[in-house]
Amino acid sequence: MRAEKSLYQTLAEYSAEDFYPCHMPGHKRNMASGEMADFYRIDITEIDGFDDLHHAEGILRKAQERANRLYGAEETFFLVNGSTCGVLTAILAVTEPGEEILIARNCHKSVYHAAILQSLSVHYYQPQMIQEYDICDGVRAEAIEQLLDQYPGVKAVVITSPTYEGILSDIAGIARVVHKRGKVLIVDEAHGAHLGLAENLPEGAVAQGADLVIHSLHKTLPAMTQTALLHVNGDRVDRERLRRYLTMLQSSSPSYVLMASMDACVRFLEEEGAGRFVLFQEEYEKFCKKTAKCRRIKIGKMTSVSENYALADWDIGKILISVKNTKLNGKELGDILRERYHLEMEMAADTYALAIMTLMDTQEGWQRLADALCEIDDRIEKESCDRQDIRRITLPQVRSSMAAAFHGPREEISLREATGRIAADFLMLYPPGIPLAAPGEVLDEELIQKIEDSREKGLSLRGVSSEGRIPVVVEIP
């Protein structure tokens, strides 16, 4: 028996009582409120006895402390605005306007948005490409060390681990070189909320010494979309400043439905997580054994890449399905899986599709995916030459600060006219939301060609209109 009721149970019990809501939300928990009315039953506001997320002292404080115990951080905050809110808060809390920051180039767009909001001067770490799969490698601690020596004014380092495709970096090693120089390490671990929660899983960034860690619960754990956590460790982060930014960037009317989902997720992991992760590992191994007979399709594995790369580990929940050197591209593979097998992929790139599998996937789900890939593999043909990956692996020339280009005057022109012009907004494949070009960067011929190739393949591009027009900085004669 649980020692105390969950947030969901408390909300459900309250909704069954005869309290009449002379307050928000406007649906008033009335079952005549339309087709979504069933979901309004536990949707309340900050009424007596239900605490306030922005000044948690009761039931919400206990829920956050429960999450904190699960992950072992010094302090943990609920995020109802997703990991984006956590990334923005973390960066703004440890920098002042105009200061310097070092980020891995393959960071999510929210990192770049924080740099714009704070008018930061950005220095980049460019991961190399893992040629076997056309994806970004992990981050090298020694390279971060060299960059910090080159740019001593940097206040914080931001990296993504695991990456969208599951690449894990040596967070402990990176933390050592960052902390040796008195800097703050922020890890966007949005896709790794499950890490460290079972013996068979790699260790997470909290345990490896990062100062600020952001988790998306909903990405790999049983929680509702938009639920996330922000963890803080050590004395390098001003906690009061962090709370001020959280109050500024989070909704002043946080959803109790989302917070109940976070609390329920943590409790579920406490009670059933260990067993679920054992089954998850077993199903993964059976999936790998079955798909090992594929001759053309290749399933991404750490064990099949060169030892010269920087990755410290690979998240087995990210099933990277490579069709490199076949006559299919990733988008075509994704379309086949959706239309013929009713399997919806997380994303598709030029040479691969990506499936995300979690502790909640069923034996049937794993088997359906394995069977489908084996059938497709029997039908596809080998390509005679390698295709070029659409991901850019060199840093573009920077002509202006991100903030100046983003906020300044802009105009839209066709891709054919854009060579040599300065981007006024982000150009990226989405997902995963990693910029091919950021505001203030020069659009060269190679980049324009990559964008045109992506459009021809039907990949999802942001920053390019359906007519093939992009925003550029207005050039003053």
Side-chain angles (χ1 to χ4, degrees):
M1 294 292 292
R2 290 172 175 165
E4 58 187 39
K5 296 173 185 173
S6 68
L7 179 55
Y8 171 77
Q9 289 173 319
T10 308
L11 288 167
E13 288 180 5
Y14 178 81
S15 71
E17 295 181 10
D18 65 352
F19 286 99
Y20 186 83
C22 297
H23 55 74
M24 300 183 292
H27 55 65
K28 301 290 183 153
R29 303 198 301 275
N30 189 326
M31 292 299 100
S33 297
E35 61 185 2
M36 294 285 291
D38 287 346
F39 298 94
Y40 300 156
R41 185 171 57 92
I42 61 169
D43 185 30
I44 64 168
T45 189
E46 293 92 340
I47 56 178
D48 187 54
F50 282 90
D51 212 355
D52 178 352
L53 183 62
H54 295 286
H55 188 65
E57 295 180 322
I59 192 169
L60 296 181
R61 179 178 178 177
K62 290 179 180 179
Q64 290 180 116
E65 288 174 345
R66 187 175 296 109
N68 176 259
R69 289 194 297 272
L70 180 69
Y71 286 98
E74 291 181 12
E75 197 167 5
T76 297
F77 300 94
F78 277 4
L79 302 174
V80 294
N81 292 29
S83 283
T84 291
C85 174
V87 169
L88 294 174
T89 298
I91 294 174
L92 268 61
V94 300
T95 61
E96 298 289 346
E99 289 187 327
E100 298 174 61
I101 192 168
L102 172 62
I103 72 173
R105 179 67 186 195
N106 62 330
C107 281
H108 184 260
K109 63 179 181 176
S110 58
V111 175
Y112 293 80
H113 291 167
I116 289 173
L117 289 172
Q118 200 75 317
S119 297
L120 299 176
S121 176
V122 180
H123 305 292
Y124 293 112
Y125 169 85
Q126 175 63 64
Q128 71 178 114
M129 298 298 292
I130 295 177
Q131 298 299 328
E132 288 89 337
Y133 297 106
D134 291 342
I135 60 176
C136 284
D137 190 15
V139 175
R140 295 183 183 276
E142 57 269 29
I144 295 296
E145 187 172 29
Q146 292 169 4
L147 287 166
L148 289 177
D149 289 342
Q150 184 178 351
Y151 303 110
V154 162
K155 293 296 293 293
V157 176
V158 187
I159 68 169
T160 300
S161 177
T163 63
Y164 202 74
E165 298 85 5
I167 298 298
L168 290 157
S169 295
D170 175 17
I171 303 301
I174 296 166
R176 282 192 293 271
V177 302
V178 171
H179 293 159
K180 181 180 177 181
R181 288 157 179 77
K183 316 299 182 183
V184 174
L185 176 60
I186 301 170
V187 177
D188 179 357
E189 201 171 61
H191 279 269
H194 59 296
L195 297 179
L197 297 184
E199 291 182 0
N200 60 328
L201 296 174
E203 200 171 38
V206 170
Q208 293 187 69
D211 300 288
L212 289 159
V213 179
I214 300 97
H215 282 149
S216 276
L217 288 180
H218 71 93
K219 284 183 169 63
T220 60
L221 295 173
M224 294 181 74
T225 299
Q226 208 169 302
T227 58
L229 300 172
L230 172 61
H231 308 282
V232 58
N233 283 317
D235 57 5
R236 297 175 187 84
V237 178
D238 183 333
R239 306 285 180 92
E240 183 54 39
R241 181 180 170 94
L242 188 75
R243 289 186 183 90
R244 290 202 304 271
Y245 274 108
L246 272 174
T247 298
M248 180 186 297
L249 296 169
Q250 292 239 75
S251 169
S252 59
S253 300
S255 166
Y256 276 82
V257 178
L258 294 181
M259 291 187 288
S261 174
M262 286 188 262
D263 186 43
C265 175
V266 169
R267 288 169 178 269
F268 179 85
L269 292 168
E270 288 176 333
E271 296 173 6
E272 299 189 38
R276 286 274 184 173
F277 280 120
V278 168
L279 294 174
F280 170 72
Q281 177 77 36
E282 290 174 354
E283 291 302 326
Y284 171 74
E285 291 173 358
K286 286 190 286 186
F287 169 85
C288 290
K289 184 176 181 181
K290 188 159 193 174
T291 55
K293 65 182 182 181
C294 291
R295 296 171 300 134
R296 309 300 186 207
I297 289 173
K298 193 159 101 176
I299 306 300
K301 284 186 180 179
M302 179 185 174
T303 52
S304 63
V305 301
S306 166
E307 294 180 356
N308 297 323
Y309 295 121
L311 75 165
D313 212 327
W314 194 317
D315 176 14
I316 64 172
K318 308 301 189 298
I319 308 298
L320 192 148
I321 309 160
S322 174
V323 287
K324 190 173 182 178
N325 304 330
T326 76
K327 290 189 175 180
L328 281 182
N329 63 40
K331 174 66 164 54
E332 292 167 336
L333 174 64
D335 289 344
I336 292 170
L337 287 166
R338 180 190 314 107
E339 294 164 9
R340 189 173 300 170
Y341 298 95
H342 289 191
L343 293 165
E344 192 75 58
M345 297 297 98
E346 169 66 21
M347 65 91 73
D350 180 30
T351 60
Y352 63 88
L354 181 71
I356 292 182
M357 306 299 278
T358 78
L359 76 167
M360 300 311 297
D361 277 291
T362 63
Q363 184 179 40
E364 181 203 7
W366 281 100
Q367 186 172 322
R368 281 179 60 187
L369 180 59
D371 288 344
L373 293 177
C374 289
E375 285 186 19
I376 295 169
D377 185 75
D378 283 339
R379 292 194 296 268
I380 61 175
E381 298 178 33
K382 184 176 176 63
E383 188 69 277
S384 59
C385 61
D386 288 1
R387 289 194 306 269
Q388 292 295 314
D389 174 44
I390 54 80
R391 289 195 177 197
R392 189 181 182 87
I393 60 172
T394 56
L395 292 173
Q397 178 187 356
V398 177
R399 192 75 59 80
S400 117
S401 73
M402 253 192 285
F406 183 83
H407 293 302
R410 61 175 63 189
E411 62 179 334
E412 279 200 355
I413 62 174
S414 70
L415 279 168
R416 291 187 297 274
E417 304 171 291
T419 301
R421 297 294 297 272
I422 302 169
D425 213 325
F426 295 95
L427 299 170
M428 65 182 72
L429 292 170
Y430 201 89
I434 298 167
L436 296 168
E441 296 177 347
V442 177
L443 303 169
D444 60 27
E445 188 173 346
E446 178 191 359
L447 176 59
I448 297 300
Q449 186 60 54
K450 287 178 181 292
I451 294 169
E452 290 180 337
D453 289 347
S454 299
R455 294 184 73 229
E456 288 178 8
K457 292 180 173 71
L459 301 180
S460 178
L461 274 162
R462 300 288 174 88
V464 184
S465 72
S466 57
E467 295 81 22
R469 299 177 69 82
I470 59 175
V472 296
V473 172
V474 171
E475 297 181 355
I476 301 174

